[in-house]
Amino acid sequence: MIGYWIAGAAIAAAAAWAWSRSRAAGRQGKSKIVNMNAYRSRKGRSDSAAAKPGSQLCSSCRKPAARLSFYSDENGRVVGLCRECKPSAERRQLDRL
């Protein structure tokens, strides 16, 4: 009778150990560091702005521009606007950064 208790306790301890190891392995795989090259290729976006050094995409029209003017919009986000979209920012009275 005592042999069954010991065997049951050993099996329970082994199951608890295996369960804790599987949870620890699952936590290690979820890193908060993102590889940006893998993210871009997974997203399927061709970086037209990255092809030309020094150019960025306009936040409004999404066209690559050599020079952007940065503003804070109504929600507090930073937006970079090209020369063509700059008048719309002034009409909306956005704060220049």
Side-chain angles (χ1 to χ4, degrees), residues 6-7 17 29 40 43 54 67 83 90:
I6 293 173
W17 179 78
R40 286 186 192 109
K43 193 174 177 182
R67 188 167 182 180
R83 205 172 273 169
E90 292 169 357

Side-chain angles (χ1 to χ4, degrees), residues 34-90:
V34 177
N35 184 355
M36 291 306 293
N37 291 331
Y39 175 76
R40 286 186 192 109
S41 66
R42 186 176 42 213
K43 193 174 177 182
R45 184 180 85 181
S46 64
D47 287 335
S48 59
K52 301 173 193 165
S55 65
Q56 296 178 331
L57 294 178
C58 173
S59 297
S60 180
C61 64
R62 308 302 295 165
K63 293 180 185 174
R67 188 167 182 180
L68 296 177
S69 299
F70 292 96
Y71 294 90
S72 175
D73 70 355
E74 294 87 0
N75 297 323
R77 291 182 302 223
V78 175
V79 292
L81 301 175
C82 64
R83 205 172 273 169
E84 290 83 23
C85 299
K86 195 173 177 180
S88 69
E90 292 169 357

